[in-house]
Amino acid sequence: MRPLRRQGQEINMTDNITNNLINKEHITIIAGPCAIESWEQLDKTAKIVSSLGLSYLRGGAYKPRTSPYSFQGLEEKGLEFLKKVGEKYGLKTVTEVTDTINADIVAEYVDVLQIGTRNMSNFALLKKVGEIAFEKKKAVILKRGWASSIKEWLLASEYLSLKGYVEVILCERGIRTFDTNTRFTLDLAAVPVIRKLSKLPIIIDPSHAMGQSDLVTPMSRAAIAAGADGLIVETHNDPANALCDGQQSLNPREMSELLKQIKGLASVIGKKVR
Ligand code: PEP
Ligand code: MN
């Protein structure tokens, strides 16, 4: 039995990793729409992601929406589209698991399981996703709860490895503060703090933190400068008509510009972008 992941324990990031979502040579950029809306929308967006030379496509099929009247996602149909589009363009796929009930189904379709901010403290879900990820060798992205401390976040990550080693990637996506100019406050201090406390990789989600597309690129640059291992960025073929989070989604031109800037930074720190 492999040793369990424990805070502060020395873990070689490349040991026992099956998905290898994060490695030391690359800045990994996961891009795609907030929600999978249709085959056409996902296909067009995936084509853009692939033409930019990226390797990971995101897209929500089960959407945890604040309002019950908002678009809730295409559920299993969306997962089918994600799998097929991923295969078509040779992209690995990332989607959120919102409930223990759909966890097994989601894992059948995608490479990487995401736990959203609203579920960071859903311990039954963390245990279930940890078991599935261990058995099916899936990587798990664990977003920080928007009102959770770094310690609570790290302890939540340990639930995922109770059964055995799982590739866990932390994702800072903004926390609630008193300021209302941005959707959340991106806590980039989490990057060096996590580096001190843990061996887990950390990526940044500037889209949900900022909530406005024109603020995504500056904070993406800052995230990489702070030492983040990667980004997860919402991008859409037609943000003005998106069913979810269009206001914070980059259009193809903005995504291409973001990538250009991140590549420039990456070369300075001796990394490649994928
Ligand atoms: C998402 O990435 O689609 C999402 C809902 O993010 P968060 O859980 O950070 O709000
Ligand atoms: Mn979103």
Side-chain angles (χ1 to χ4, degrees):
M1 175 95 174
R2 289 166 184 152
L4 298 185
R5 182 192 303 275
R6 285 290 174 254
Q7 250 176 278
Q9 181 183 315
E10 283 291 318
I11 296 173
N12 182 342
M13 265 169 53
T14 54
D15 272 359
N16 307 322
I17 288 177
T18 44
N19 251 284
N20 196 18
L21 173 61
I22 297 297
N23 65 39
K24 286 175 181 156
E25 290 77 46
H26 289 93
I27 287 165
T28 304
I29 302 186
I30 302 163
C34 180
I36 299 157
E37 301 167 11
S38 65
W39 170 263
E40 290 70 26
Q41 169 250 11
L42 191 65
D43 185 71
K44 282 183 183 161
T45 308
K47 195 173 178 185
I48 296 156
V49 171
S50 146
S51 70
L52 291 172
L54 299 178
S55 319
Y56 287 88
L57 177 69
R58 62 150 288 151
Y62 296 85
K63 292 304 302 173
R65 303 306 298 278
T66 300
S67 164
Y69 310 113
S70 301
F71 175 59
Q72 302 286 310
L74 296 182
E75 304 190 342
E76 197 167 353
K77 193 83 211 147
L79 295 175
E80 281 173 27
F81 291 163
L82 188 56
K83 187 172 166 61
K84 282 198 189 131
V85 161
E87 284 166 0
K88 181 172 172 186
Y89 293 102
L91 296 167
K92 295 231 179 179
T93 53
V94 182
T95 204
E96 179 170 351
V97 186
T98 53
D99 199 310
T100 51
I101 292 169
N102 59 38
D104 285 295
I105 300 171
V106 173
E108 278 173 32
Y109 287 95
V110 297
D111 300 297
V112 182
L113 306 171
Q114 178 180 317
I115 296 187
T117 190
R118 293 160 183 81
N119 272 314
M120 190 209 85
S121 302
N122 181 342
F123 304 116
L125 182 65
L126 293 174
K127 281 192 222 169
K128 174 84 178 167
V129 169
E131 281 165 23
I132 295 173
F134 175 68
E135 275 154 26
K136 299 201 159 155
K137 303 193 188 316
K138 307 279 180 189
V140 181
I141 295 175
L142 178 64
K143 291 214 174 179
R144 179 180 181 182
W146 68 49
S148 299
S149 68
I150 288 176
K151 187 172 179 195
E152 288 163 340
W153 188 20
L154 285 171
L155 286 169
S157 77
E158 296 194 7
Y159 274 94
L160 292 165
S161 294
L162 286 179
K163 187 104 190 254
Y165 179 81
V166 170
E167 183 185 2
V168 177
I169 298 103
L170 299 173
C171 177
E172 160 63 37
R173 49 79 67 211
I175 53 174
R176 270 267 149 85
T177 65
F178 46 80
D179 198 86
T180 52
N181 279 293
T182 52
R183 189 173 178 187
F184 292 89
T185 296
L186 185 58
D187 181 15
L188 284 181
V191 177
V193 172
I194 290 292
R195 290 269 181 263
K196 254 173 105 166
L197 297 178
S198 166
K199 294 291 172 190
L200 293 181
I202 176 168
I203 63 172
I204 297 295
D205 174 350
S207 308
H208 290 91
M210 308 313 284
Q212 299 155 62
S213 57
D214 59 334
L215 302 180
V216 167
T217 300
M219 294 314 278
S220 297
R221 290 196 304 264
I224 300 309
D229 296 293
L231 302 168
I232 180 164
V233 179
E234 285 187 340
T235 183
H236 193 286
N237 63 302
D238 180 15
N241 289 303
L243 296 182
C244 185
D245 284 350
Q247 76 292 345
Q248 67 194 29
S249 300
L250 301 189
N251 66 30
R253 186 186 44 75
E254 291 164 337
M255 190 64 213
S256 166
E257 176 59 27
L258 168 86
L259 204 60
K260 199 173 117 197
Q261 295 189 20
I262 298 303
K263 278 185 179 163
L265 278 175
S267 68
V268 174
I269 52 178
K271 289 194 181 190
K272 290 198 180 107
V273 177
R274 65 167 185 187

